[in-house]
Amino acid sequence: MKRRVAFVLLMALSACAPVSQGDVPSRTAIAETTLPPMKSFAARAPQNYRTPNNHLAEDFIELLFEMESGRQLPVLTRFEGPITLRLTGRPAPTLNVDLRGLLNRLRTEAGITITPTQDKNASITIDSVSRSAIQRVLPQAACFVAPNVSSLSEFRSARRTPKTNWAGLKTRSKLAIILPNDASPQEVRDCLHEELAQALGPLNDLYRLPNSVFNDDNVHTVLTNFDMLVLRATYAPELASGMSREMVAARLPAVLARINPRGKAPGPARNTYTPQAFISAIQTALGPGASYASRRTAADEALRIATRSGWTDNRRGFAHYARGRVLQATNSAAAQQEFRTADRFYARSAQTRLHRAFVATQLGAYALSIGETTKARNIVTPHIERARIAQNAALLATLQLLRAETLSAEGRFTQANALRLDSLGWARYGFGADWAVETKVKEISALAERTPPV
């Protein structure tokens, strides 16, 4: 069973404060108007980051032959022959459109054709159920994929039996993807991308990957060019289910040379090992259920591990980001220092531009809240297009709303209102229900209404 735990990277930017709409002519009175139609993204253009094949080979072996727990998998498993897919349950209204787009990308970018069907014996069944139904079975899971079953009820009966043990597979023939049908459209789509990719190939996540959904930092939410390369390699004709780690490693260089000729030049040596203690600390710091004291201790430990390991990559940046997120509740100045440090590490690589966009929401919100509107605008504006390219509607709407508040503060009400109106369509996709959209708008409006400290 492989599950996606939802780290909420876009938590409330401020305490929810009463907002007086009548005093601010630039702000849309959401409660008194009809929200604009939901926006959706066009087909994602492939991103052209060069992935060195020596790095890709290392990542491939760990992704396909290990579980997140560190448990080794004895053989490569994948689907052999035609792959079919059916939908059951009560799919979210946006699921079909997002599924068609994903299946097209898998066909054109990864060379994997998946045929929709109504056959009960489909290779992959997507069972759309309520979030509460999922959490009654797996309390911390947003969604998950499991082998040898076709529904949540079947998984519930077979859980903790050899039937649903990934390590016992020799090949893949039947899998269930359990998705929520009452989450925001973006959360449903994000789950679809990650769980369908896991159903087809990797069962592991690696924190060192800067440009992949196979990373539990949840920064990337739709499949990237790296992910498509991994999936294309998984279904290369030179490989087959049942091959050992050593057999795959021997054939992989020729496979990668064929499918990724741009990666011929080797990448530099890197520190690839991520200890389980770091993973556990991050999960405690940002995941649900832990007390503030436990989260603070875990965030401190994650940063100690990152520093002691000598990391300068996205893992170091994420450790600072996580600590900043925890400190926000008690020490905003210290939190801002952590966010600025995270941004410095992320700025070292073109592949962590999206990470910087998440940091920008925190830095920009703080600058707005203390009256530094020009600084806030300069922080958030460069990242708006990056969020659009990454197809993260929640992030895009948040950045747009922050920029709109800075424009309002400068008296540029026409521009601010136009930007705010555009953001609402994205917010409906990213945050879902009208009340969630309204709450986000009020949170960000409240930032601009705070009295700067003396």
Side-chain angles (χ1 to χ4, degrees):
M1 172 262 303
K2 179 72 183 69
R3 62 185 179 180
R4 185 176 197 267
V5 178
F7 290 162
V8 186
L9 294 184
L10 286 169
M11 291 179 70
L13 297 174
S14 66
C16 295
V19 177
S20 174
Q21 297 289 353
D23 296 335
V24 188
S26 65
R27 297 196 176 102
T28 304
I30 299 299
E32 299 174 6
T33 62
T34 301
L35 290 175
M38 181 186 299
K39 291 179 179 288
S40 60
F41 295 100
R44 177 184 167 97
Q47 304 301 296
N48 293 316
Y49 295 120
R50 186 184 77 87
T51 303
N53 285 339
N54 64 320
H55 290 178
L56 184 55
E58 288 179 317
D59 298 335
F60 183 92
I61 292 297
E62 286 191 48
L63 286 169
L64 273 294
F65 283 92
E66 295 180 18
M67 302 287 288
E68 283 186 82
S69 63
R71 183 180 183 182
Q72 301 289 306
L73 295 169
V75 296
L76 175 73
T77 63
R78 68 181 193 184
F79 288 100
E80 303 293 343
I83 304 173
T84 56
L85 179 148
R86 70 167 179 152
L87 289 176
T88 60
R90 301 180 63 182
T94 54
L95 179 58
N96 275 296
V97 172
D98 286 332
L99 177 59
R100 284 196 298 271
L102 177 54
L103 294 184
N104 182 63
R105 284 194 62 205
L106 288 169
R107 183 175 64 255
T108 57
E109 296 178 47
I112 302 172
T113 297
I114 301 176
T115 305
T117 184
Q118 296 299 320
D119 191 338
K120 292 183 178 180
N121 295 315
S123 313
I124 301 170
T125 299
I126 297 177
D127 191 16
S128 295
V129 300
S130 68
R131 189 179 348 217
S132 61
I134 294 173
Q135 292 178 345
R136 282 195 294 271
V137 179
L138 296 172
Q140 295 187 354
C143 45
F144 66 94
V145 59
N148 297 321
V149 295
S150 296
S151 67
L152 178 62
S153 59
E154 191 178 352
F155 171 75
R156 188 187 299 113
S157 299
R159 188 182 177 194
R160 299 193 182 96
T161 70
K163 182 177 182 179
T164 56
N165 181 4
W166 287 100
L169 294 184
K170 302 301 181 185
T171 188
R172 302 188 194 187
S173 57
K174 182 172 73 170
L175 291 167
I177 295 172
I178 312 301
L179 296 187
N181 58 17
D182 52 359
S184 73
Q186 179 168 315
E187 184 176 342
V188 175
R189 180 209 64 186
D190 296 352
C191 277
L192 172 67
H193 274 245
E194 182 166 352
E195 302 308 336
L196 184 53
Q198 303 274 7
L200 293 168
L203 299 173
N204 197 5
D205 284 311
L206 300 174
Y207 271 97
R208 70 172 181 262
L209 301 179
N211 182 33
S212 176
V213 301
F214 303 127
N215 184 331
D216 265 339
D217 65 9
N218 287 356
V219 169
H220 287 277
T221 56
V222 299
L223 294 176
T224 67
N225 65 313
F226 174 89
D227 302 327
M228 291 298 181
L229 275 174
V230 169
L231 291 172
R232 184 176 284 275
T234 302
Y235 286 84
E238 296 92 333
L239 306 182
S241 291
M243 284 186 171
S244 68
R245 185 180 186 127
E246 292 72 24
M247 293 172 66
V248 171
R251 298 191 183 190
L252 201 52
V255 171
L256 298 181
R258 176 173 58 80
I259 69 173
N260 188 38
R262 294 180 69 242
K264 181 179 179 181
R270 54 185 183 157
N271 183 345
T272 60
Y273 176 64
T274 304
Q276 190 65 40
F278 176 82
I279 298 170
S280 298
I282 289 291
Q283 289 174 342
T284 300
L286 295 183
S291 67
Y292 174 78
S294 295
R295 293 177 61 225
R296 174 69 183 268
T297 299
D300 291 346
E301 177 62 14
L303 185 54
R304 276 196 294 271
I305 293 171
T307 305
R308 188 168 60 242
S309 299
W311 296 336
T312 58
D313 58 12
N314 56 295
R315 292 171 293 182
R316 178 67 177 272
F318 194 60
H320 285 285
Y321 179 82
R323 190 167 189 268
R325 284 287 306 279
V326 173
L327 288 173
Q328 274 181 314
T330 59
N331 189 335
S332 59
Q336 290 303 303
Q337 182 58 49
E338 294 297 337
F339 292 138
R340 287 190 290 270
T341 304
D343 189 61
R344 287 199 296 272
F345 280 101
Y346 287 147
R348 296 182 176 206
S349 171
Q351 295 199 48
T352 46
R353 288 173 182 163
L354 184 59
H355 301 65
R356 297 190 72 193
F358 280 98
V359 176
T361 64
Q362 306 294 340
L363 295 174
Y366 181 75
L368 182 63
S369 73
I370 62 173
E372 296 182 351
T373 55
T374 300
K375 181 178 180 180
R377 176 164 49 80
N378 290 338
I379 288 171
V380 302
T381 300
H383 301 286
I384 290 175
E385 185 58 24
R386 176 56 48 187
R388 193 186 307 275
I389 291 170
Q391 299 195 343
N392 190 320
L395 177 61
L396 173 58
T398 299
L399 291 165
Q400 286 182 317
L401 287 167
L402 287 167
R403 176 172 163 77
E405 290 302 328
T406 69
L407 294 172
S408 293
E410 296 169 356
R412 298 157 66 181
F413 300 130
T414 300
Q415 290 175 268
N417 281 332
L419 183 59
R420 191 174 291 107
L421 184 64
D422 185 61
S423 76
L424 296 178
W426 295 118
R428 291 191 67 187
Y429 185 88
F431 298 110
D434 285 2
W435 67 264
V437 175
E438 293 165 8
T439 298
K440 181 58 62 176
V441 173
K442 290 179 180 179
E443 285 175 355
I444 294 176
S445 294
L447 289 171
E449 293 179 352
R450 290 181 176 179
T451 301
V454 177

